[in-house]
Amino acid sequence: MPARRRLDRGDLVTTALALVDQDGMAGLSIRRVAERHGASPMALYRYFPDKNGLDDAIAERLLSEVGLPEADGRAWYEQLRDLLEEVLAALRRHPHAVELVFTRILTSEPGLALAERVLALLADAGLSVERAAETGTQALCSLAALVLAEPGRAESREDEDSEAAARLKRASLLALSPRRYPHVVAAADALASCSSEDVFYRRGVDMIITGIRGMDPDPAPAAPASTGP
Amino acid sequence: MPARRRLDRGDLVTTALALVDQDGMAGLSIRRVAERHGASPMALYRYFPDKNGLDDAIAERLLSEVGLPEADGRAWYEQLRDLLEEVLAALRRHPHAVELVFTRILTSEPGLALAERVLALLADAGLSVERAAETGTQALCSLAALVLAEPGRAESREDEDSEAAARLKRASLLALSPRRYPHVVAAADALASCSSEDVFYRRGVDMIITGIRGMDPDPAPAAPASTGP
DNA sequence: ACCTGAACACCGTTCAAGT
DNA sequence: ACCTGAACACCGTTCAAGT
């Protein structure tokens, strides 16, 4: 892994993302990446302007792993579902890096390509340019939120025993007062961990698509007066 | 603000949240909170087990600011909308602390009270216990995602000129190739900043509620065979 | 019980210097 | 052009000690 004399930017990003996958964001540092390449910390400043620049590069790498499906003739919502599922697959491969992606979609080439496709599909859906921008932002961020929210997700991979964590969480919920929190106690199992991650995510995408399809396309902002029964 | 001799846990949390509001999560440290109270950093360890414990307390404080509306006789989705709007108002008051809340709803008293109300309303909607847990998690996290995703949000309050940042972002999007990214370029204004935050958030809540209302209530997990056309 | 001080192992980053 | 080394201003946290 450590390139001997000459450093390679791509290799550095690979190492950084691997570090995040292993130990979470807290495990990522310029010094640790440098160390893994047998270089001094300062060597990285030739390839990234600063720590934030390294974070940018990690987000870009993650987004570059999204396989954009070819546009085809199907309905916009079917194509959008496939697209969101591709994005979701990439996010799920790097759950600890998801928080980096939130604010970096429009500042990286692969993120822009993704945004372009989303906006195109929402235009097909009949949304105005402004509305498509708003809705697309919301859809992609809700998607990322699913990964951050997945019940039973561990903080870092070295926390290893995500099963043990889930059991502990379940126990703490079951220990609550059933008079005060009847629904929470009854749902302890489901709240502590997913019975099926795939079902959780499929339904999450469902909810997003359904939310978009079911909305008023472009209502008058405030007063519901002019058109009406 | 600094209590002289004896430290007060509540005051410490107030200071910590104020620090996050001012300078973002990067500006929060045990040492800075201690300094503002004229105390040594180690003094805080009497009140919080560690840094993560301080983060827990901040999240709890934020959630305690959510004004839970009284249950009334209206339809579940109307009550849920009001509830989500209350949560959103609290999150918007502390946008930089939102990321803390994501994983801490079920580990704080006010978060549990909130979860209880959400689950009760989703039970009214006819969802199974498991389904309500899943859907409630997704709804609350999509809500938090809205705040993280709001176009034109600044990184910290000391970044002051969030307008300048938006103008810069707009310019960078307008500089893109309109052949490669026609929809992105056309939507540059809307992507760089909200024309109206209130509209953005109202529609975000709409999308969440609509998504829940529009879903299959409890479909057979896989094969769509038994119940016909 | 509550707080301090010194110390340790980490950060990101600047600056001057090496090849 | 590319990398190093020493130094600075920060972290969280442990440990032994003060009142």
Side-chain angles (χ1 to χ4, degrees):
Chain A
M1 292 290 166
R4 246 326 44 155
R5 210 71 250 179
R6 198 77 181 307
L7 293 176
D8 177 82
R9 205 188 121 105
D11 290 348
L12 293 171
V13 177
T14 301
T15 300
L17 182 51
L19 229 32
V20 173
D21 288 341
Q22 261 182 46
D23 303 331
M25 284 303 294
L28 173 68
S29 74
I30 286 184
R31 294 176 111 105
R32 289 238 279 157
V33 174
E35 194 187 32
R36 290 216 177 176
H37 287 260
S40 121
M42 287 314 300
L44 293 227
Y45 283 78
R46 289 274 146 193
Y47 302 92
F48 311 97
D50 52 20
K51 175 68 187 330
N52 188 58
L54 178 59
D55 291 348
D56 290 346
I58 295 173
E60 175 167 19
R61 170 65 62 84
L62 192 158
L63 287 167
S64 79
E65 292 182 2
V66 176
L68 292 183
E70 287 298 312
D72 56 42
R74 290 176 303 150
W76 65 269
Y77 50 85
E78 292 184 359
Q79 295 192 61
L80 182 59
R81 175 188 306 275
D82 286 356
L83 180 51
L84 292 184
E85 263 158 15
E86 284 294 333
V87 176
L88 196 50
L91 293 173
R92 288 178 66 186
R93 265 177 250 132
H94 307 287
H96 299 305
V98 167
E99 60 185 87
L100 293 179
V101 173
F102 259 101
T103 54
R104 289 176 170 91
I105 293 174
L106 296 176
T107 57
S108 68
E109 194 281 320
L112 286 165
L114 167 62
E116 178 63 27
R117 296 292 284 272
V118 170
L119 292 177
L121 290 171
L122 292 176
D124 288 351
L127 298 195
S128 70
V129 171
E130 293 76 19
R131 198 62 188 280
E134 196 178 77
T135 304
T137 302
Q138 289 166 350
L140 287 176
C141 290
S142 292
L143 201 69
L146 290 180
V147 181
L148 298 185
E150 186 207 309
R153 204 166 69 80
E155 281 293 286
S156 76
R157 180 160 292 160
E158 296 306 313
D159 269 356
E160 198 67 60
D161 234 337
S162 86
E163 265 188 45
R167 257 180 285 127
L168 214 74
K169 190 166 189 182
R170 194 184 92 101
S172 83
L173 293 177
L174 287 174
L176 294 169
S177 156
R179 297 181 58 94
R180 244 179 148 173
Y181 306 110
H183 294 87
V184 171
V185 173
D189 284 288
L191 291 170
S193 77
C194 278
S195 57
S196 159
E197 295 182 19
D198 287 331
V199 169
F200 176 83
Y201 286 113
R202 185 160 45 72
R203 285 187 181 148
V205 174
D206 272 358
M207 207 176 97
I208 294 169
I209 301 273
T210 305
I212 299 175
R213 290 187 69 184
M215 280 170 70
D216 290 337
D218 253 306
S226 55
T227 45
Chain B
M1 295 289 164
R4 238 348 21 165
R5 210 72 248 179
R6 198 79 181 308
L7 293 175
D8 177 83
R9 205 188 118 104
D11 290 347
L12 293 171
V13 177
T14 301
T15 300
L17 183 51
L19 229 33
V20 174
D21 288 342
Q22 261 183 45
D23 303 331
M25 284 303 296
L28 172 70
S29 74
I30 286 184
R31 294 176 113 107
R32 289 237 278 158
V33 174
E35 195 186 30
R36 290 217 177 176
H37 287 260
S40 121
M42 289 313 301
L44 293 227
Y45 283 78
R46 291 271 146 194
Y47 303 91
F48 311 97
D50 52 20
K51 174 67 188 330
N52 188 58
L54 179 58
D55 291 348
D56 291 345
I58 295 173
E60 175 167 17
R61 168 64 62 83
L62 192 158
L63 287 167
S64 79
E65 292 182 2
V66 176
L68 293 184
E70 288 298 314
D72 55 44
R74 290 176 303 150
W76 66 268
Y77 50 87
E78 292 183 359
Q79 295 192 59
L80 182 59
R81 175 188 305 274
D82 286 356
L83 181 50
L84 292 185
E85 262 159 15
E86 284 293 335
V87 177
L88 196 50
L91 293 173
R92 288 177 67 185
R93 265 177 252 132
H94 307 287
H96 299 307
V98 167
E99 61 185 87
L100 293 179
V101 174
F102 259 101
T103 55
R104 289 174 169 93
I105 294 174
L106 296 175
T107 57
S108 67
E109 194 280 320
L112 286 165
L114 167 63
E116 178 63 26
R117 296 293 284 273
V118 170
L119 292 177
L121 289 172
L122 292 176
D124 287 351
L127 297 195
S128 70
V129 171
E130 292 77 19
R131 198 61 188 281
E134 196 177 80
T135 305
T137 302
Q138 289 166 349
L140 287 176
C141 290
S142 292
L143 200 68
L146 289 181
V147 181
L148 298 185
E150 186 209 307
R153 204 168 67 80
E155 282 292 286
S156 76
R157 179 158 293 162
E158 295 308 313
D159 268 357
E160 198 68 60
D161 234 337
S162 86
E163 265 190 46
R167 257 180 286 128
L168 214 74
K169 191 167 188 181
R170 193 183 94 100
S172 83
L173 293 176
L174 286 174
L176 294 170
S177 156
R179 299 182 57 92
R180 244 178 147 175
Y181 306 111
H183 294 87
V184 172
V185 173
D189 285 286
L191 291 170
S193 78
C194 279
S195 57
S196 159
E197 295 182 19
D198 287 331
V199 170
F200 176 82
Y201 285 113
R202 183 160 45 73
R203 284 186 181 148
V205 174
D206 271 359
M207 206 175 99
I208 294 170
I209 302 273
T210 305
I212 299 175
R213 291 186 70 184
M215 279 170 69
D216 291 337
D218 253 307
S226 53
T227 43

